[in-house]
Amino acid sequence: MTIDSDTLIRSVKKSRVLVLLLTKQALTRPWVLLEIYTALDARIPIVPVGQNGVRLGGTTSQFLKDLASNVFKQDVMKS
C-alpha cells in the first residue's frame, strides 16, 4: 500500500485521537508535521508519548501550539 499526503490526511481526519511518538527527530519529519497539523486543524486531540527519555517540554509544547505559524520557520525547526 502506498501512502501519499491525501491518504495520510484522510486517515488522520478519521481518527479520534493522534498518538504522537516523540523521538528526538519527530518534529523535523515532514510526514509527522503533516499529521500534527491535520489533527490540530481537525481539532483531534494529540497524545504525545516520549521515547528514550524524550519529554514534552516547554519548547515542544509551544511548538505544537504554534505549529501553523512555526511549520515553515527553519530557526524554530532546528531548536
Side-chain angles (χ1 to χ4, degrees):
M1 176 180 183
T2 302
I3 296 180
D4 58 19
S5 60
D6 291 332
T7 303
L8 184 83
I9 290 168
R10 278 194 306 275
S11 297
V12 171
K13 287 184 175 183
K14 289 180 185 177
S15 302
R16 292 176 56 194
V17 65
L18 176 71
V19 177
L20 173 60
L21 181 60
L22 284 174
T23 63
K24 290 184 180 184
Q25 299 297 318
L27 297 179
T28 67
R29 309 306 303 157
W31 291 106
V32 174
L33 293 174
L34 180 58
E35 288 176 306
I36 295 168
Y37 184 85
T38 302
L40 289 171
D41 187 54
R43 299 191 187 277
I44 295 169
I46 299 173
V47 177
V49 177
Q51 182 208 22
N52 294 333
V54 175
R55 297 176 187 214
L56 183 63
T59 302
T60 306
S61 298
Q62 194 60 44
F63 182 85
L64 289 175
K65 287 179 186 174
D66 297 334
L67 182 66
S69 61
N70 286 338
V71 74
F72 298 109
K73 293 182 181 176
Q74 292 300 314
D75 58 322
V76 173
M77 296 295 291
K78 291 178 185 175
S79 59

